[in-house]
């Protein structure tokens, strides 16, 4: 029997463990890169880019994939290494060789694609420190994957393991852990995120009330006295309530064209929010100011008759 062929001790489980290790490696590498890029965007902001809050969702997805995929990869790789120590012939599994060589190939393709994207950003004027840091991040991920898997391929002909690789492995794990912890700090706690989502819902409710008030004024030439007057059994509109407490929002008509509504917020809000009016108010997005601090906040609105106008009843 050829010494390079696995003995009968090799099982389908051995093959699937190697496959799982490669899949979780890809997942970990991609999610780690996304986390690092998000941290760079946060710590080195670019006025030409969207704010970090706009990309918070992608950061959370990357963190979720990293904290699940990377520990699974480390565990499966450790199990595979122990199995190879007990049965050295497992190092020559055909699927293992294919997966290792394919990983080097796939990493090359990914790195080429990332470098093309980075060069495109360079030509587009992204001449900031972010560009250099993202380039270094891509090369770091590539170097770790190449060094580890090329070493695994060469280890088949080595008499003993290289002690330097242990430091490389431990160093890579430490860097991933630091990036994951930093990502959790930037993303914020789940409780703070829930409070922010409650506040986003409050702003959305106030936007709805605002446009219903304008619609009421357009049709009746005066402002409603309270939110209950906006109720419409035909359209099904009912004034929204605070999503957390269930209480009604405050509303007051201050004059024939001016009104105010208030809500109690749990966090500080953004200065502006792009909002597209309902179907009854077609048109482009309108930049509205919804700046608010933590606690009770009121928003004063004045209707411009020249901008909105009163809808005339149709002639019969």
């Amino acid at each position: 029997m050829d010494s390079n062929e696995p003995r009968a001790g090799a099982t389908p489980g051995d093959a699937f463990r190697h496959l799982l290790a490669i899949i979780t490696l890809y997942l970990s590498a991609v999610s780690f890169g996304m986390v690092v890029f998000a941290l760079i965007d946060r710590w080195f902001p670019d006025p030409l880019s969207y704010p970090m809050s706009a990309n918070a969702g992608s950061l959370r997805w990357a963190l979720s994939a990293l904290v699940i995929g990377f520990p699974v990869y480390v565990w499966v790789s450790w199990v595979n290494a122990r199995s190879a120590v007990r049965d050295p012939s497992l190092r020559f599994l055909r699927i293992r060789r294919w997966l290792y060589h394919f990983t080097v190939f796939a990493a090359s393709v990914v790195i080429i694609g990332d470098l093309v994207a980075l060069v495109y950003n360079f030509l587009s004027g992204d001449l900031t420190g972010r560009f250099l840091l993202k380039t270094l991040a891509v090369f770091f991920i590539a170097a770790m994957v190449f060094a580890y898997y090329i070493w695994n391929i060469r280890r088949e002909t080595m008499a003993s393991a290289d002690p330097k690789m242990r430091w490389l492995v431990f160093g890579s794990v430490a860097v991933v852990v630091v990036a994951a912890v930093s990502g959790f700090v930037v993303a914020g706690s789940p409780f703070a995120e829930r409070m922010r989502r409650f506040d986003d819902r409050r702003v959305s409710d106030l936007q709805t009330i605002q446009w219903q008030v304008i619609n009421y004024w357009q049709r009746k030439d005066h402002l409603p006295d309270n939110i209950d007057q906006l109720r419409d059994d035909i359209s099904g509109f009912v004034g929204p309530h605070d999503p957390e407490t269930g209480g009604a929002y405050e509303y007051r008509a201050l004059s024939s064209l001016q009104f105010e509504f208030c809500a109690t917020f749990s966090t500080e809000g953004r200065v502006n929010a792009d909002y597209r009016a309902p179907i009854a108010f077609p048109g482009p997005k309108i930049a509205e100011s919804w700046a608010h601090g933590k606690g009770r906040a009121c928003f004063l609105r004045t209707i411009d008759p020249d901008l909105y106008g009163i809808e005339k009843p149709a002639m019969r």
Side-chain angles (χ1 to χ4, degrees):
M1 177 183 294
D2 188 349
S3 60
N4 289 341
E5 292 297 326
R7 297 198 301 267
T11 66
D14 296 317
F16 282 112
R17 280 200 310 273
H18 284 289
L19 182 61
L20 179 61
I22 294 300
I23 293 175
T24 51
L25 168 69
Y26 298 161
L27 179 64
S28 300
V30 173
S31 57
F32 174 75
M34 293 175 63
V35 170
V36 172
F37 276 35
L39 293 176
I40 293 173
D41 290 339
R42 174 62 179 268
W43 294 335
F44 301 90
D46 187 340
L48 298 178
S49 301
Y50 290 104
M52 176 63 197
S53 58
N55 300 321
S58 61
L59 173 59
R60 295 188 188 96
W61 274 113
L63 280 173
S64 301
L66 186 61
V67 299
I68 298 299
F70 187 69
V72 172
Y73 168 71
V74 172
W75 176 75
V76 174
S77 298
W78 177 79
V79 172
N80 288 339
R82 291 293 298 269
S83 299
V85 170
R86 291 193 301 267
D87 184 359
S89 67
L90 293 178
R91 295 181 180 179
F92 304 100
L93 276 175
R94 184 169 300 176
I95 188 173
R96 176 181 180 274
R97 290 179 170 181
W98 272 94
L99 290 175
Y100 280 12
H101 284 86
F102 179 77
T103 297
V104 174
F105 166 76
S108 302
V109 174
V110 170
I111 297 308
I112 291 173
D114 284 342
L115 290 177
V116 169
L118 289 172
V119 170
Y120 173 81
N121 290 335
F122 172 79
L123 296 176
S124 300
D126 192 3
L127 304 177
T128 63
R130 290 154 43 111
F131 172 80
L132 297 177
L133 289 174
K134 290 181 179 180
T135 302
L136 291 176
V138 171
F139 276 110
F140 173 80
I141 297 172
M144 295 303 101
V145 173
F146 272 113
Y148 182 71
Y149 278 91
I150 289 179
W151 171 75
N152 271 281
I153 293 172
R154 292 178 176 177
R155 188 171 59 171
E156 298 175 359
T157 59
M158 294 171 60
S160 60
D162 185 356
K164 295 180 181 179
M165 289 305 300
R166 177 171 297 182
W167 292 105
L168 176 65
V169 172
F170 288 158
S172 300
V173 172
V175 171
V176 172
V177 171
V178 170
V181 172
S182 301
F184 276 108
V185 173
V186 170
S189 71
F191 304 102
E193 175 61 17
R194 183 168 180 81
M195 293 298 99
R196 187 194 65 78
R197 290 177 61 189
F198 271 127
D199 285 348
D200 286 348
R201 174 67 179 274
R202 292 182 179 105
V203 170
S204 177
D205 289 344
L206 294 180
Q207 289 173 328
T208 300
I209 294 173
Q210 171 180 277
W211 286 102
Q212 289 294 334
V213 169
I214 294 175
N215 185 39
Y216 186 98
W217 174 84
Q218 286 179 322
R219 297 180 182 278
K220 300 190 177 183
D221 197 15
H222 65 86
L223 294 173
D225 297 325
N226 51 63
I227 295 180
D228 290 338
Q229 291 184 357
L230 299 175
R231 183 186 182 98
D232 188 341
D233 295 334
I234 296 178
S235 66
F237 176 78
V238 178
H241 290 73
D242 187 288
E244 185 177 14
T245 65
Y249 293 106
E250 300 178 47
Y251 163 82
R252 288 186 300 275
L254 303 179
S255 67
S256 60
L257 294 175
Q258 196 172 67
F259 62 95
E260 180 185 56
F261 37 51
C262 307
T264 301
F265 295 91
S266 302
T267 62
E268 292 187 1
R270 293 175 296 173
V271 174
N272 294 308
D274 287 338
Y275 176 69
R276 187 181 296 280
I279 298 176
F281 304 92
K285 287 186 177 181
I286 300 174
E288 301 174 350
S289 175
W290 295 98
H292 62 79
K294 184 178 180 179
R296 184 173 179 272
C298 295
F299 304 90
L300 181 64
R301 298 292 189 252
T302 302
I303 298 177
D304 184 349
D306 295 331
L307 179 61
Y308 296 97
I310 299 176
E311 293 187 2
K312 303 296 183 181
M315 298 297 293
R316 298 195 178 187

